[in-house]
């Protein structure tokens, strides 16, 4: 495969003033405060409530709280709960009737009807923070101008990352079209089984174990498996040919990033990675793949095309649809 014969387009978006101001407004919204108001609760207001939930007249664990600050419209509670508190006022008592979703995490509550007895302690209206030096300090910047520069840089990184994802998919599609060779059937079968199993669990989130009936891969699963195996073997070959390697420093950085998910158990995670070669390989694989992709981009003919933020977003959304 002559990498120089590949012709690819990479989208390019520069953060404009409107995007920067929109991002600053979002930060100001994160930093907003709430102040007591007279009158009924509206969408976006915060209600401070005591509540006690019951199913069939029986209280259930985790179904009660006091002085709970709930922002109406945040969709942080069970569907239908927040809407029933629109219009309440401080001092009011209200019974809220809802149904737990069928896929609710607590299986003993999934699909059940519940009643929450609520006492409204306060109704508060939002007060957005001003976009000024005080806001900048809150987010670790020296001044509002420094914050604006940080926001611009962050947006640029996000745009570049999104553009790379779009270009990477186009590259993989092109490699899939151009290259064909016999694939080890055992690898294809194993990958198809894994894809079918993963998708089944995504469609049945209430099933956490693996004691279910065997899942038979479909032809679509096998098609996707063949693509993944082919591209995986091809990228591995190209990476070895270019003598690309994951350095110890790169692997350590990946371990540190992963360890953040195990707050308080970082030491155990490090020991697990050190003793488990398969786990190390799982961390190395995406780093190695990115190196190979960047190597191909360097060798290929890549044309940059400036587009709007909306066009880039549409291209990213199209990735999710495929």
């Amino acid at each position: 495969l002559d990498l120089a014969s590949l012709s690819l387009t990479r989208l390019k978006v520069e953060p404009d003033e409107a995007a920067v101001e929109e991002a600053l407004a979002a930060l100001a919204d994160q930093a907003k405060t709430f102040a007591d108001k007279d009158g009924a609760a509206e969408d976006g207001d915060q209600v401070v409530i005591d509540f006690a939930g019951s199913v069939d007249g029986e209280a259930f664990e985790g179904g009660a709280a006091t002085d709970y600050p709930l922002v109406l419209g945040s969709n942080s509670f069970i569907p239908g709960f927040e809407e029933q508190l629109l219009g309440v006022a401080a001092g009011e008592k209200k019974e809220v009737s809802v149904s737990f979703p069928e896929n609710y995490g607590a299986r003993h509550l999934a699909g059940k009807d519940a009643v929450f007895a609520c006492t409204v302690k306060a109704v508060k209206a939002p007060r957005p923070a001003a976009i000024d030096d005080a806001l900048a300090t809150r987010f670790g910047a020296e001044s509002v101008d420094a914050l604006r520069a940080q926001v611009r840089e962050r947006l640029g990184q996000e745009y570049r990352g999104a553009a790379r994802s779009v270009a990477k998919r186009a590259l993989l599609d092109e490699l899939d079209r151009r290259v064909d060779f016999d694939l080890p059937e055992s690898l294809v079968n194993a990958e198809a089984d894994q894809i079918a199993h993963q998708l089944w669990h995504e469609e049945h989130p209430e099933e956490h174990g693996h004691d279910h009936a065997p899942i038979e891969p479909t032809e679509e699963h096998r098609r996707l498996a063949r693509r993944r195996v082919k591209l995986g073997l091809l990228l591995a070959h190209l990476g070895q040919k270019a003598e690309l390697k994951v350095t110890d420093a790169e692997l350590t950085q990946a371990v540190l990033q992963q360890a953040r998910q195990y707050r308080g158990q970082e030491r155990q995670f490090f020991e697990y990675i050190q003793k488990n070669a398969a786990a190390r390989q799982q961390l190395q694989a995406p780093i190695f793949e990115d190196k190979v992709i960047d190597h191909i981009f360097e060798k290929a003919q890549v044309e940059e095309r400036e587009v709007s933020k909306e066009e880039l977003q549409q291209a990213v959304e199209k990735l999710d649809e495929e």
Side-chain angles (χ1 to χ4, degrees), residues 54 68 76 79-80 86 96 116 169 184 205 224 231 234 250 258 273 279 282:
S54 59
Y68 190 95
S76 55
L86 291 170
V96 173
F116 287 84
R169 173 65 67 84
L224 185 55
L231 290 174
L234 176 60
E250 288 166 337
Q258 194 84 358
I273 293 295
Q282 204 169 12

Side-chain angles (χ1 to χ4, degrees), residues 185-195:
E185 205 58 30
S186 59
L187 286 182
V188 174
N189 290 336
E191 186 68 23
D193 286 340
Q194 185 176 338
I195 290 169

Side-chain angles (χ1 to χ4, degrees), residues 31-76:
K32 68 175 177 277
T33 56
F34 291 89
D36 286 331
K37 63 174 271 189
D38 293 326
E42 300 172 283
D43 196 38
D45 284 350
Q46 182 189 79
V47 291
V48 180
I49 55 174
D50 294 346
F51 62 83
S54 59
V55 171
D56 297 328
E58 295 290 327
F60 56 88
E61 186 178 352
T66 57
D67 295 328
Y68 190 95
L70 174 62
V71 177
L72 302 184
S74 64
N75 298 318
S76 55

